[in-house]
Amino acid sequence: MNNIITIQLVSKKEIYNLNLIYRKKPYYTNILAFPYNIFIKKKTLFLGDLVVCDEIIHKEAKKQKKKKTAHWAHIIIHGTLHLIGYTHDNKKNKKIMESIEIKTLKKQNFKNPYTL
């Protein structure tokens, strides 16, 4: 089976507006996930869209003293997990999601983003 996602880079203004419109959250965010999970052809599942603000990701990486590539990897994995149904809306779900992020990043030779 093939899984497809799209990634769109947007400005801070655009991510703010999308966060306000779709999540009713009046603030900036680094990524938004819009899940679809529909088959677009046999054995090809479109998971959804990731909308990313590269300006925010770069500022976060600098502030958190992380390499940009490591932070990008983390945010894309985080968004993809949202596309397939994971959430961090409570302590239990947050722990599960972070554990998957850490394991997935480790497989790609990135450090645990929560202990840097």
Side-chain angles (χ1 to χ4, degrees):
M1 164 137 26
N2 297 311
N3 294 315
I4 297 173
I5 63 173
T6 64
I7 300 174
Q8 181 179 359
L9 302 180
V10 298
S11 69
K12 281 179 69 176
K13 181 179 177 180
E14 289 173 286
I15 201 92
Y16 180 95
N17 289 335
L18 290 169
N19 203 28
L20 181 60
I21 291 166
Y22 291 100
R23 297 181 62 228
K24 309 295 186 245
K25 308 281 183 175
Y27 53 80
Y28 298 100
T29 187
N30 51 21
I31 190 167
L32 292 169
F34 297 94
Y36 289 97
N37 293 305
I38 58 170
F39 282 93
I40 54 176
K41 58 183 174 177
K42 192 174 184 179
K43 296 187 179 183
T44 303
L45 181 63
F46 177 54
L47 295 176
D49 300 317
L50 296 178
V51 180
V52 184
C53 181
D54 57 334
E55 181 182 347
I56 292 173
I57 290 177
H58 291 169
K59 283 183 181 179
E60 288 174 344
K62 185 176 181 178
K63 183 178 179 181
Q64 297 169 19
K65 298 181 180 166
K66 297 178 182 177
K67 291 183 179 181
K68 288 179 188 177
T69 54
H71 194 46
W72 265 98
H74 178 214
I75 296 305
I76 297 301
I77 289 166
H78 181 89
T80 302
L81 289 173
H82 279 307
L83 292 180
I84 60 175
Y86 287 92
T87 65
H88 45 81
D89 56 344
N90 60 49
K91 286 183 182 182
K92 180 182 175 187
N93 289 341
K94 181 178 178 182
K95 186 174 181 178
I96 291 168
M97 194 166 170
E98 287 179 0
S99 174
I100 295 168
E101 290 170 0
I102 292 164
K103 288 176 188 175
T104 305
L105 286 163
K106 186 175 182 177
K107 288 179 185 178
Q108 302 301 315
N109 296 316
F110 290 109
K111 296 177 182 177
N112 178 341
Y114 298 104
T115 60
L116 296 177

